[in-house]
């Protein structure tokens, strides 16, 4: 399968990771770091002889799709346009070396103009590639190794031909690939199995957590927010960037996450209709919107100023929650 790689790694930092500028430096001192920056401040950069970074990229036409890695929703595309150079980093959902599971879900396009596509058509196409590069080597040359390729089944058994399951309301397939990483994340590996809990009680706990999280965003309590995401951010920093504070993607990540705390536009939005989604062998849970395809049920207000113009919008953000072993409280893990 041929996927566009031109300028791949230049676009990765802009599309898939988020961060902010470094503080304004004076001759005598540097401004105080923001709470999220403090989470990375004392992490020692890792210097393994090999530091593999895994990525996943899909290409589609005639369908929408979602990609889950080890049960965690990693990427979704719900626009009737193709994408290129949108490779998503995977290391934070690869807890340790070994077999990793990927699930692909394909969906019909729905209403387009005066036509409503309720099932997958024969011209539906989906391809996927998982590749890796070594952070220990220079970026020059865009060196990467393809780890896994996949294409949705066709009547010919090749990556051309009619989609084999045309007429289905959706299609789902799971496969595996092998990953080798020098670290081991705790993540949700020892967490309680939430899918075994009383589901009514679990739902109440999830809604209470979302309400609390929404209050923190609305009140712009950045320090309290940073404490909630500490485990997630430290594992992301270690696995995706190997604790490299110079990583351009880290700067963009911080900028994205701190936007609501700098925004003058403050508004609470209701969850709306949602479904509970489990991942990580039933140990991780999130709320997915039923009304907004592919989006989280949770959203908050954002205002950005560009060239003197104010842009206000809803930002949808998934919260992947778990309960550490022996704990009765939900926490953010991804």
């Amino acid at each position: 399968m041929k996927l566009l790689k031109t300028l791949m790694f230049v676009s990765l930092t802009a599309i898939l990771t988020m961060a902010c500028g470094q503080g304004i430096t004076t001759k005598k001192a540097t401004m105080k770091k923001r709470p999220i920056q403090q989470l990375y401040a004392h992490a020692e950069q890792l210097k393994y002889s090999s530091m593999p970074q895994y990525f996943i990229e899909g290409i589609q036409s005639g369908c929408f799709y979602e990609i889950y890695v080890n049960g965690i929703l990693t990427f979704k595309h719900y626009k009737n346009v193709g994408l290129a150079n949108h490779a998503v980093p995977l290391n934070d959902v690869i807890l340790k070396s070994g077999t990793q599971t990927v699930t692909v879900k394909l969906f019909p396009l729905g209403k387009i103009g005066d036509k409503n596509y309720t099932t997958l058509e024969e011209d539906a196409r989906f391809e996927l590639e998982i590749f890796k590069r070594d952070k220990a080597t220079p970026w020059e040359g865009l060196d990467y190794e393809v780890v896994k390729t996949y294409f949705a089944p066709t009547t010919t058994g090749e990556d051309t031909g009619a989609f084999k399951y045309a007429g289905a309301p959706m299609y789902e397939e799971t496969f595996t690939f092998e990953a080798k990483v020098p670290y081991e994340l705790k993540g949700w590996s020892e967490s309680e199995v939430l899918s075994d809990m009383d589901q009514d009680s679990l739902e109440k706990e999830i809604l209470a957590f979302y309400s609390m999280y929404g209050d923190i965003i609305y009140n712009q309590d950045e320090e309290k927010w940073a404490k909630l995401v500490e485990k997630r951010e430290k594992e992301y920093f270690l696995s995706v960037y190997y604790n490299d504070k110079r990583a351009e993607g880290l700067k963009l990540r911080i900028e994205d996450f701190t936007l609501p705390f700098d925004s003058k536009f403050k508004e609470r939005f209701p969850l709306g209709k949602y479904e509970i989604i489990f991942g990580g062998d039933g140990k991780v849970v999130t709320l997915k919107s039923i009304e907004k395809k592919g989006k989280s049920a949770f959203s908050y207000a954002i205002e950005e100023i560009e060239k003197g113009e104010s842009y206000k919008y809803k930002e949808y953000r998934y919260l992947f929650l778990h309960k550490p072993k022996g704990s009765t409280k939900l926490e953010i893990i991804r």
Side-chain angles (χ1 to χ4, degrees):
M1 175 179 59
K2 296 182 179 179
L3 297 180
L4 297 177
K5 291 298 186 297
T6 306
L7 299 179
M8 170 72 73
F9 295 101
V10 175
S11 64
L12 282 179
T13 56
I15 296 176
L16 302 169
T17 50
M18 307 153 271
C20 93
Q22 299 190 3
I24 300 173
T25 303
T26 66
K27 292 182 179 179
K28 295 184 179 180
T30 301
M31 290 181 66
K32 182 180 178 181
K33 291 182 181 294
R34 302 191 71 148
I36 189 173
Q37 290 175 300
Q38 298 284 3
L39 300 182
Y40 317 122
H42 303 295
E44 187 173 333
Q45 183 171 347
L46 304 178
K47 296 182 179 179
Y48 299 115
S49 58
S50 176
M51 295 185 283
Q53 294 174 303
Y54 287 84
F55 301 89
I56 195 165
E57 184 176 25
I59 287 182
Q60 108 297 341
S61 64
C63 64
F64 298 140
Y65 67 89
E66 295 176 352
I67 301 173
Y68 296 75
V69 179
N70 293 327
I72 308 298
L73 179 58
T74 303
F75 191 75
K76 78 278 187 212
H77 184 57
Y78 278 89
K79 293 183 179 179
N80 191 27
V81 292
L83 292 178
N85 298 339
H86 62 283
V88 181
L90 291 183
N91 284 48
D92 66 315
V93 291
I94 297 174
L95 301 186
K96 63 180 181 179
S97 295
T99 302
Q100 317 297 320
T101 302
V102 179
T103 297
V104 171
K105 297 182 180 182
L106 307 183
F107 303 93
L109 296 175
K111 189 171 178 58
I112 299 178
D114 59 356
K115 190 168 183 179
N116 189 21
Y117 297 89
T118 59
T119 60
L120 291 162
E121 302 282 306
E122 286 188 356
D123 62 355
R125 296 284 186 278
F126 179 77
E127 301 178 50
L128 174 151
E129 186 172 273
I130 297 170
F131 63 96
K132 68 176 180 178
R133 70 168 307 277
D134 193 341
K135 191 180 186 306
T137 62
W139 282 100
E140 290 80 6
L142 299 181
D143 55 315
Y144 65 92
E145 175 187 340
V146 175
V147 176
K148 184 81 174 184
T149 59
Y150 164 87
F151 62 87
T154 65
T155 54
T156 64
E158 304 292 336
D159 58 359
T160 58
F163 177 60
K164 187 175 181 179
Y165 298 99
M170 66 91 68
Y171 177 74
E172 178 177 334
E173 185 170 358
T174 297
F175 57 90
T176 62
F177 73 97
E178 297 298 314
K180 187 175 182 180
V181 292
Y183 60 80
E184 187 167 333
L185 305 178
K186 186 174 182 180
W188 54 88
S189 61
E190 300 178 5
S191 302
E192 301 292 334
V193 181
L194 301 178
S195 57
D196 289 346
M197 285 184 59
D198 177 83
Q199 295 302 288
D200 289 337
S201 296
L202 177 62
E203 184 174 8
K204 290 177 182 177
E205 290 182 44
I206 296 170
L207 294 177
F209 189 97
Y210 272 64
S211 178
M212 176 270 293
Y213 188 88
D215 287 340
I216 290 173
I217 297 293
Y218 182 80
N219 295 325
Q220 297 181 315
D221 192 337
E222 192 173 347
E223 289 192 8
K224 187 175 288 186
W225 170 82
K227 290 179 182 178
L228 286 181
V229 302
E230 182 175 0
K231 287 184 180 179
R232 178 192 73 192
E233 288 306 299
K234 286 185 175 180
E235 289 199 338
Y236 190 94
F237 188 38
L238 182 152
S239 60
V240 175
Y241 299 124
Y242 290 90
N243 288 350
D244 183 1
K245 299 181 182 71
R246 301 167 301 172
E248 186 64 26
L250 179 65
K251 299 173 187 177
L252 296 172
R253 184 176 181 85
I254 295 171
E255 183 179 75
D256 181 80
F257 280 133
T258 54
L259 275 175
F261 303 107
D262 298 330
S263 175
K264 293 181 180 179
F265 175 38
K266 295 174 60 177
E267 188 171 334
R268 294 293 300 269
F269 300 114
L271 289 177
K273 295 181 179 179
Y274 60 83
E275 60 179 322
I276 298 176
I277 302 295
F278 291 100
D281 296 323
K283 298 175 181 179
V284 180
V285 70
T286 191
L287 297 185
K288 181 182 179 185
S289 173
I290 294 175
E291 300 166 313
K292 300 289 185 180
K293 289 183 178 179
K295 293 186 180 296
S296 166
F298 176 76
S299 62
Y300 52 83
I302 288 289
E303 179 184 31
E304 288 192 82
I305 307 296
E306 293 185 13
K307 298 180 180 179
E309 294 288 331
S310 171
Y311 299 90
K312 298 178 181 179
Y313 58 92
K314 271 186 181 183
E315 176 75 5
Y316 293 86
R317 182 81 66 185
Y318 275 99
L319 303 177
F320 295 97
L321 309 177
H322 80 134
K323 284 186 180 181
K325 186 176 182 180
S327 175
T328 59
K329 294 184 178 180
L330 291 167
E331 296 180 3
I332 294 173
I333 192 60
R334 286 296 179 269

